[in-house]
């Protein structure tokens, strides 16, 4: 007798393609092996996943992930990746920049897009991936800040995120992200700062 899929308690994913954790591991593996052109979305992948699955990371780390999602929606992927590169640079020099961001608002509505939807069929095909990531990020923000969205169906752009004390880290003078530094299913500490606590 086949086991019934288990609905994810955190994001509401149906489980029909596997657990959310299994899908996330598959996405990180694709990122690490460069089997898909997903590398430039790596930080956004991690931020969206952890904001929908907050039990997988320390609460303090969600502040930076929230800022990355809102920055992506306001200013685009290049701005978010520049911020991420600045955070990595600061972290390597002994700073702990994640604590400088405001915490995300509590979730007030259910997710409309999850990692399951973003995977499409569980394989994260490259075709259409950019739009699926945009939809995922919009869902993540709407879950916590629905008032940031306009009501017009053709113009669902968020208002710009407020500037923080680390605004200077978005400057293009910071180094770009090293494409060889990624999270991996075995050691989830990399440019995104993801730490699941399963290593020393």
């Amino acid at each position: 007798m086949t086991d019934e899929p288990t609905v994810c308690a955190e994001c509401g994913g149906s489980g029909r393609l596997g657990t959310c954790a299994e899908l996330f591991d598959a996405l990180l593996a694709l990122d690490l092996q460069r089997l898909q052109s997903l590398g430039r979305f790596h930080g956004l992948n991690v931020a969206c996943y952890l904001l929908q699955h907050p039990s997988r990371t320390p609460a303090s780390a969600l502040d930076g992930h929230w800022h990355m999602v809102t920055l992506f929606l306001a200013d685009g992927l290049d701005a978010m990746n520049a911020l991420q590169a600045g955070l990595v640079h600061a972290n390597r020099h002994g700073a702990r920049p994640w604590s400088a961001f405001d915490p995300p608002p509590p979730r007030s509505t259910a997710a409309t897009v999850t990692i399951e939807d973003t995977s499409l069929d569980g394989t994260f095909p490259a075709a259409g991936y950019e739009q699926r990531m945009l939809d995922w990020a919009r869902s993540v923000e709407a879950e916590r800040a629905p008032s940031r969205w306009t009501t017009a169906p053709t113009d669902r752009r968020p208002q710009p995120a407020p500037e923080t004390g680390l605004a200077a880290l978005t400057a293009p003078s910071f180094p770009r992200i090293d494409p060889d530094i990624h999270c991996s299913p075995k050691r989830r500490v990399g440019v995104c700062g993801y730490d699941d606590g399963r290593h020393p």
Side-chain angles (χ1 to χ4, degrees):
M1 189 172 180
T2 305
D3 292 338
E4 290 293 325
T6 301
V7 174
C8 177
E10 294 193 277
C11 77
S14 71
R16 62 186 177 84
L17 301 175
T19 67
C20 292
E22 290 169 344
L23 290 172
F24 187 52
D25 283 347
L27 179 56
L28 293 182
L30 287 172
D31 200 0
L32 181 66
Q33 298 170 30
R34 303 180 185 179
L35 296 180
Q36 304 279 24
S37 55
L38 313 182
R40 63 197 183 105
F41 289 97
H42 175 72
L44 186 62
N45 292 334
V46 173
C48 287
Y49 179 78
L50 293 180
L51 283 163
Q52 287 188 333
H53 301 83
S55 69
R56 297 290 300 272
T57 193
S60 59
L62 294 177
D63 303 357
H65 292 308
W66 174 247
H67 186 75
M68 289 175 67
V69 169
T70 56
L71 181 64
F72 164 73
L73 290 170
D75 296 331
L77 188 61
D78 288 344
M80 190 213 72
N81 281 337
L83 170 66
Q84 189 178 20
L87 293 171
V88 173
H89 179 81
N91 188 62
R92 287 175 177 171
H93 288 79
R96 293 295 178 265
W98 293 100
S99 61
F101 297 112
D102 292 332
R107 284 190 283 188
S108 59
T109 188
T112 58
V113 178
T114 69
I115 191 171
E116 182 176 85
D117 303 302
T118 308
S119 78
L120 196 60
D121 57 2
T123 66
F124 300 93
Y129 189 76
E130 184 170 351
Q131 181 61 50
R132 297 199 304 277
M133 281 307 306
L134 176 60
D135 293 341
W136 193 13
R138 285 176 168 174
S139 174
V140 167
E141 187 182 50
E143 292 158 35
R144 295 175 182 270
S147 62
R148 290 170 63 90
W149 293 97
T150 65
T151 56
T154 57
D155 185 17
R156 292 179 54 79
R157 293 172 296 178
Q159 298 300 312
E163 201 170 77
T164 72
L166 286 182
L169 292 181
T170 64
S173 58
F174 279 91
R176 303 299 296 172
I177 297 173
D178 183 347
D180 292 324
I181 302 175
H182 292 279
C183 292
S184 73
K186 292 185 178 179
R187 182 175 178 82
R188 296 185 178 88
V189 176
V191 296
C192 57
Y194 172 42
D195 181 351
D196 68 358
R198 293 193 290 178
H199 62 275

